Amino acid sequence: MEVLKIATAGSVDDGKSTLIGRILYDTKSLTDDKLEAIEKTSKQKGYDYLDFSLATDGLVAEREQGITIDVAHIYFSTATKSYIIADTPGHVEYTRNMVTGASTSQAAIILIDARKGVIEQTNRHFFINNLLRIKEVVVAINKMDLVDYSEEKYNAIKADFEALMSKRDYQNQKITFVPVSALKGDNVVRKSENMPWYTGPSILDRLEALGKQDIFNVGTPRFPVQFVIRPKTDEFHDFRGYAGKVYGGELSVGDDVVVLPSQTKSKIKDIYFYDKKYQTASRRSSVTITLEDDINVSRGDMIVKAGEIPTIDKQFTAQVCWMDTKELTAGAKYIVQHGVNKVLAKVDTIHHKINPDYSGINEDVLGLGVNDIASVSFKLNKPIFYDAFKNHRTNGSFILIDTQTNNTVGAGFISQN
Amino acid sequence: METIEKIEHIKGTAVINNTASINSLENEAIYIFREVAAQFEKPVLLFSGGKDSITLVRLAQKAFYPAKIPFPLMHIDTGHNFPETIEFRDRLVKELGLELIIRNVQDSIDQGKVKEESGRYSSRNQLQTTTLLDAIEEFKFDACIGGARRDEEKARAKERIFSVRDDFGQWDEKKQRPELFDMLNGEIELGQNVRVFPISNWTELDVWSYIEKEDIEIPSIYFAHTRATFVRDGMIWTADDEVVFRDDNEEVVDRVVRFRTVGDMSCTAAVLSDAADITSVVREIRASTISERGARIDDKRSEAAMEKRKQQGYF
């Protein structure tokens, strides 16, 4: 059984939490006690329907204001897949939380209110999906019950969204449009009887049909060393293992490898997972590798296959999503955390702020405010080993850490050196 | 979840397959453990003797093999634990050669730092927070690894894997750091600490399936046994201890029960069950229509019970 991580995106009141609640309800994933609590609170609030958002809005402030502030992770499973849904906020001011939720997801659901159609927020959501290279997107045109389940309305919104699609720079994306009513349950899990004109899949049907090849970009194997294992026991006196996770592709015993940054060559001797040895470690395996040669490897180093060396450089340019109220400015210093590697970085140039509405109007600015997205060049105090984000999701991304507050203040997607 | 894909482990020839849900979660947890060991000076694993913390111990063993787990375990003992759990705890640390630190809620009560609750629903669960915060300060722990899962409770669903607490141990849900991709930011100031949740993304069923797959030993109270009990508010409580408040008119009956979650005795109810082995337990959980925390009275105190406890420093 596979795990599929999904991010939701939609504006305030487009019904994201309701949609998730509906999925949980219709797949019978809500337990009786949780359902009872939803019924009780819905009744207290005087609603004549079940407020499913109560299942996901876990904070007092969220329930008070009726909005989602932070990402909630929701779990359910069907006979074929385990799902993790990141329920992300819709407010413009919580864009950073949307990026947070989407960064670990393989698929996204973008919600549109059928009464409002494609709005500025829809552009932003689609833009972020493209920025994060999310391949599988379901566009849920919600609240169809409030527009008399109108096919014309649906087609008009679909056409507007298709106009956006022509502006994206990510061509491998697959987009499925589904007319739904999250409140009534049309085309969420069950096919709707109210829209006989729609012959496509329900949202869940679409997600269920996704295979591994639809979801993951494989890329070349990268093995950042997290921890050096030296037991120094009688049994493992000379054992020196490099613990880490395989990103992209796979590594096998006997592979010719290069250790970065020293560029020392060696071969993979053994691959351990706990007390067993394996021939091959596939993508995302947390294994421990030993090498044929006794070389000095420490945390932050990276083991790659010979002939597949990433860019090694002390500078790069990246799209940055800024997440802090204190501005990012040229000349400022931050910690760049790239995988498990931390280096000190200086902002060299802010090229321009990107308008995530696909207007094509990009402004020259001196600083970046919270939720701004911009193309920024950095200089580093020592080289890192990176790929472009479009070629390697893990080795092409980084976070920025404020040296004073230690907060994570930005996310970056490397475009070039 | 019908079948759990097993890792093939023919020595030296197999490929580790991580598409299976449970394997992928296991690999994620191991990655998190290694980040803790690398990024912090003094981590500790919060160990209650329950199934989630027992699972954490196995994952930590896997993360650092063939080296030993590079941090101690700590139990904040309410003094109201099931004797079976304590016996199990002591045996486990002995067998695995682990270091166990114990700090007692009773000591915090004796020192007058916390006041024992009284009445029908009194519990020591909430009192644990003070003892925990004192112990963190005493040992200067900068990372406390816990077995909380996001599927347990809706405030927990909001929490990060690396959850920063201020120097009062408090959680500010509005100031959480964004957590992007696999990158865990463990930078903190002196006095702050990070609560780390390696099995955040696991569900209750995942934990049970893992215990079954890995053949991990757990305390006997998780399996069906006969026990003196009484019923209050539709829940089954133990009657064979001094801890649970019981009115004289509440009738004691022997029932075949097991525990789905093992917390403080005073706030953990039993469930009727004849699941006497792990396979039956997994089958039962899969079919259950009540959530795990449905048996924890401390969560029913209010809609925001867990959020409030976390703001005060609960793990």
Side-chain angles (χ1 to χ4, degrees), chain A residues 1-3 5 31-34 41 54-63 68-75 77-78 82 84 87 96-97 99-100 103-104 132 212 226-227 229-231 233 236 239 243-245 247 250 272-288 299 323 335 337-340 342 389 393-394 397-399 401 404-408 410-413, chain B residues 1-3 5 7-22 24-28 30-35 37-39 58 61-68 70 150-155 157-160 171 173-189 192 200-203 205-206 214 260 288-295 300 303-304 307-308:
Chain A
M1 177 136 63
E2 294 162 32
V3 197
K5 292 189 180 177
T31 51
D32 290 353
D33 54 321
K34 285 184 182 161
T41 314
L54 294 168
T56 62
D57 286 341
L59 304 172
V60 173
E62 292 179 320
R63 289 191 295 274
T68 307
I69 293 171
D70 207 339
V71 183
H73 294 82
I74 315 293
Y75 305 82
S77 54
T78 62
S82 283
I84 304 176
D87 180 22
R96 64 196 190 111
N97 291 342
V99 175
T100 300
S103 74
T104 51
L132 283 152
K212 265 175 263 176
Q226 279 187 281
F227 197 77
I229 294 180
R230 302 276 331 253
T233 55
F236 296 97
F239 188 96
K245 198 163 166 182
Y247 290 101
E250 52 185 43
Y272 284 86
F273 183 75
Y274 196 28
D275 55 356
K276 295 191 176 62
K277 288 184 192 178
Y278 292 81
Q279 186 65 31
T280 299
S282 70
R283 193 183 55 79
R284 302 189 82 74
S285 305
S286 286
V287 294
T288 299
R299 174 172 164 89
M323 301 176 162
I335 297 168
Q337 183 174 347
H338 173 246
V340 300
K342 281 178 191 166
F389 183 75
R393 237 173 117 91
T394 320
S397 54
F398 62 90
I399 56 171
I401 300 171
Q404 304 287 310
T405 63
N406 296 320
N407 279 335
T408 303
F413 312 91
Chain B
M1 277 191 223
E2 281 310 307
T3 53
E5 289 178 43
I7 297 179
E8 303 163 63
H9 49 67
I10 306 155
K11 195 173 178 184
T13 58
V15 177
I16 296 179
N17 174 6
N18 284 317
T19 53
S21 154
I22 197 78
S24 138
L25 292 169
E26 180 186 47
N27 280 277
E28 180 183 77
I30 291 171
Y31 170 84
I32 295 164
F33 267 111
R34 290 166 172 173
E35 283 304 288
Q39 292 199 44
R58 171 60 57 91
Q61 280 183 287
K62 289 198 172 192
F64 304 105
Y65 179 89
K68 273 192 173 178
R150 287 171 176 154
D151 80 320
E152 278 179 83
E153 209 278 338
K154 56 183 182 284
K158 294 282 172 179
E159 189 149 20
R160 303 283 188 256
W171 183 55
E173 73 287 356
K174 292 187 201 79
K175 279 195 194 151
Q176 296 202 84
R177 290 178 183 172
E179 211 156 71
L180 297 133
F181 301 98
D182 261 2
M183 282 172 272
L184 297 166
N185 170 8
E187 300 282 330
I188 50 167
E189 279 171 48
Q192 290 181 326
S200 277
N201 283 325
W202 297 43
T203 62
L205 185 57
D206 291 326
E214 293 283 312
R260 214 168 139 183
S288 173
T289 57
I290 300 289
S291 76
E292 179 184 359
R293 289 236 155 221
K300 299 197 168 176
E303 178 90 18
E307 184 178 345
K308 278 185 191 149

Side-chain angles (χ1 to χ4, degrees), chain A residues 272-328:
Chain A
Y272 284 86
F273 183 75
Y274 196 28
D275 55 356
K276 295 191 176 62
K277 288 184 192 178
Y278 292 81
Q279 186 65 31
T280 299
S282 70
R283 193 183 55 79
R284 302 189 82 74
S285 305
S286 286
V287 294
T288 299
I289 284 175
T290 58
L291 298 178
E292 295 275 3
D293 306 281
D294 196 12
I295 44 183
N296 186 13
V297 181
S298 27
R299 174 172 164 89
D301 290 357
M302 186 182 276
I303 297 171
V304 300
K305 279 192 189 179
E308 293 181 349
I309 295 176
T311 306
I312 304 172
D313 206 339
K314 284 172 79 171
Q315 57 186 343
F316 60 76
T317 300
Q319 315 261 56
V320 169
C321 175
W322 190 245
M323 301 176 162
D324 203 43
T325 44
K326 200 172 91 192
E327 282 204 338
L328 171 138

Side-chain angles (χ1 to χ4, degrees), chain A residues 366-377:
Chain A
L366 294 172
L368 296 185
V370 63
N371 297 317
D372 281 349
I373 297 168
S375 178
V376 180
S377 290

Side-chain angles (χ1 to χ4, degrees), chain B residues 89-105:
Chain B
R89 173 195 79 186
D90 293 341
R91 193 157 46 83
L92 182 83
V93 294
K94 205 173 150 204
E95 277 173 16
L96 300 182
L98 303 168
E99 184 193 343
L100 174 70
I101 297 164
I102 300 165
R103 285 295 173 268
N104 297 298
V105 170

